[in-house]
Amino acid sequence: MVDLKSQYQQIKSEINAAIHEVLESAAFINGPQVKRFEQNLAHYLQAEHVIACANGTDALQIALMALNLQPGDEVIVPAFTYVATAEVIGLLNLKPVMTEVDPETFMITAAEIERVVTPRCKAVVPVHLYGQCAPMEEILEVAEKYNLYIVEDTAQAIGALYTFSDGRQAQAGTMGHIGCTSFFPSKNLGCYGDGGAMYTHHADLAQKLRMIANHGQAKKYHHSLVGCNSRLDTLQAAVLEVKLGYLDQYSAARNSVADAYDRAFATLDWLQTPVRSKNSTHVFHQYTLQLKNEGDRDALKQYLQERGIPSMIYYPVSLHLQKAFRTDEFGEGDFPISEDLCSRVLSLPIHTEMKAEELAYIIEVVKEFKS
Ligand SMILES: *Cc1c(COP(=O)(O)O)cnc(C)c1O
């Protein structure tokens, strides 16, 4: 699905030099690379504050911890997403309130937020799924109307650019109160282990996020909040500093693979290529097909596998049907779009080092599946 080995080969000397510098300095925790990377990323995103942390799931947890929510408060999440989004809500004794998703872009919508919102809802976590932005203009409006915090899960969409109707543009993760991202190796900006970050324009939230990520202390050994220990290693920051310089190039490479798939599959009436969301660029963390006939999905996956092509199902089970989140309130059939997507989606290999012959082979095999 990804080719991290070839990507490393391309930038090996820079990465090795950056890692070597950390090893020589032995500043493994909070070395200067961490602050530098935070500043470089803030500059790239045009965000006021970036706070690095240990992984994307921690970023979401710390973001929710910073919002003064009370046990039992509700947080709205899409039913069709990676588990981390809902998991941290449960972990903090908050209640995940799931929404149905848009059948074309598979993302949360303002109308759905409005349908499920209650007086106990305090926040919403839109997920910028597969690499494009959720409909933020509408979500910002509805959040304002119901006084909801917005925590953007931008783990899959770093670098995606959203355009508001007045022409103003903003990076994914910088439109709500807090944006949360992941630097897991296979993410669009991936390190060589775990890593994550939070972004915000609000100085008070930035200070609180930083404190929570550091045992609730602003001054060493003086703890004013219950926090946690969530740091980005200096080694990972050094890797990320190098790779941030390539992010635009990486996004362009992913887009050219996606464009080639789009062109090749446009005439196949048994599948739907990814629908571009309105007002957003796409950074193609995933290239996800929707098979029109439910039975075709597993058959295509099998067909590809037999011909040496990996493919993945993101995601096979809707959140509301996951054992960890089962309640009496809803069951099978309650989120028909999410449930249906779980049986129809298939993601094809897409990455920054895809060779023309690999791409041509995948296209040929997909086309041949029904010919
Ligand atoms: C990867 C991912 C996360 C979690 O990131 P980790 O760094 O693995 O903890 C959260 N949300 C979404 C949508 C993701 O894709």
Side-chain angles (χ1 to χ4, degrees), residues 54-60 81-85 127-130 153-156 180-184 187 194-196 285 315:
N55 57 68
T57 308
D58 275 9
L60 288 162
T81 180
Y82 182 57
V83 67
T85 322
V127 180
H128 302 311
L129 197 70
Y130 300 154
D153 181 342
T154 184
Q156 301 186 357
C180 298
T181 203
S182 163
F183 304 123
F184 187 81
K187 299 280 153 105
D194 275 307
H285 177 60
Y315 297 92

Side-chain angles (χ1 to χ4, degrees), residues 24-210:
E24 289 294 335
S25 75
F28 298 115
I29 301 293
N30 286 333
Q33 288 83 350
V34 178
K35 178 112 291 175
R36 234 166 37 209
F37 170 66
E38 286 179 342
Q39 285 166 353
N40 294 346
L41 184 59
H43 183 257
Y44 177 89
L45 296 166
Q46 298 293 299
E48 291 293 321
H49 309 274
V50 168
I51 299 102
C53 65
N55 57 68
T57 308
D58 275 9
L60 288 162
Q61 181 183 328
I62 295 164
L64 290 172
M65 287 170 78
L67 300 178
N68 287 328
L69 307 182
Q70 302 305 310
D73 280 353
E74 297 176 354
V75 180
I76 300 173
V77 288
F80 188 74
T81 180
Y82 182 57
V83 67
T85 322
E87 187 175 39
V88 296
I89 298 170
L91 205 60
L92 295 171
N93 284 319
L94 304 166
K95 184 181 168 206
V97 172
M98 291 165 197
T99 73
E100 190 55 286
V101 294
D102 181 295
E104 291 202 317
T105 64
F106 316 162
M107 287 191 279
I108 196 167
T109 64
E112 273 295 303
I113 294 170
E114 192 141 29
R115 194 177 64 81
V116 302
V117 74
T118 75
R120 289 227 67 175
C121 282
K122 296 290 153 49
V124 53
V125 186
V127 180
H128 302 311
L129 197 70
Y130 300 154
Q132 55 185 351
C133 293
M136 287 307 292
E137 183 154 358
E138 295 85 342
I139 291 172
L140 282 159
E141 274 168 28
V142 78
E144 187 167 4
K145 182 167 166 194
Y146 294 98
N147 217 2
L148 305 173
Y149 285 109
I150 299 179
V151 174
E152 294 172 67
D153 181 342
T154 184
Q156 301 186 357
I158 193 164
L161 200 59
Y162 186 84
T163 306
F164 289 88
S165 50
D166 63 3
R168 197 164 48 90
Q169 293 193 309
Q171 290 276 344
T174 67
M175 293 170 272
H177 296 86
I178 304 170
C180 298
T181 203
S182 163
F183 304 123
F184 187 81
S186 63
K187 299 280 153 105
N188 287 29
L189 179 60
C191 58
Y192 296 161
D194 275 307
M198 298 160 285
Y199 339 138
T200 184
H201 294 311
H202 305 275
D204 50 340
L205 278 177
Q207 191 194 10
K208 204 155 168 204
L209 293 168
R210 207 173 274 290

